[in-house]
Amino acid sequence: MPAAFLFGIIGLQVVIGLQAFNPMSAKTWSRPNWRLNPFNFKQPLQFFHFGGWFMLVGSIPYLPEIIEGNQECLFLAAIPASFGLGILIGVRLSVLIFRKKFSHA
């Protein structure tokens, strides 16, 4: 689980770092926002913002079984939850690291 969490943070920085120099990417990016299209690949952080929340929320259906003590469901819920949380933290970190790439509007 810590590996999935760290992979979400570090892996995202590598991907966003490559996208920062990709000529097909938008010249300036918008900060992650629910009102923007997550499948606009010129704005890569929109997709990862959506994906992080998708993974995190995807672990919620396992909560009743976890409360009852089912260890298998705990494992099934912890991996996507830690990966999603890592991605969301990675998105926030990307906004700080690549702040010159973002529009200030």
Side-chain angles (χ1 to χ4, degrees):
M1 290 175 276
F5 178 74
L6 291 174
F7 183 75
I9 295 172
I10 296 167
L12 183 65
Q13 300 315 307
V14 172
V15 171
I16 296 302
L18 293 172
Q19 287 299 314
F21 297 105
N22 183 356
M24 299 296 287
S25 178
K27 191 166 186 90
T28 58
W29 293 339
S30 300
R31 294 185 186 277
N33 189 329
W34 283 110
R35 290 176 285 213
L36 299 176
N37 181 4
F39 298 106
N40 177 3
F41 295 116
K42 291 183 180 279
Q43 300 283 333
L45 277 181
Q46 303 304 327
F47 177 76
F48 289 108
H49 181 252
F50 171 75
W53 279 109
F54 183 82
M55 296 293 285
L56 190 61
V57 171
S59 63
I60 290 175
Y62 295 106
L63 287 178
E65 290 291 325
I66 292 169
I67 291 170
E68 290 181 10
N70 187 335
Q71 294 298 317
E72 182 179 320
C73 285
L74 177 63
F75 180 75
L76 291 173
I79 296 297
S82 61
F83 189 56
L85 188 60
I87 290 173
L88 291 174
I89 291 171
V91 166
R92 292 286 193 181
L93 190 59
S94 295
V95 171
L96 294 173
I97 292 172
F98 301 102
R99 64 183 163 268
K100 292 183 180 181
K101 185 78 174 163
F102 289 89
S103 62
H104 296 290

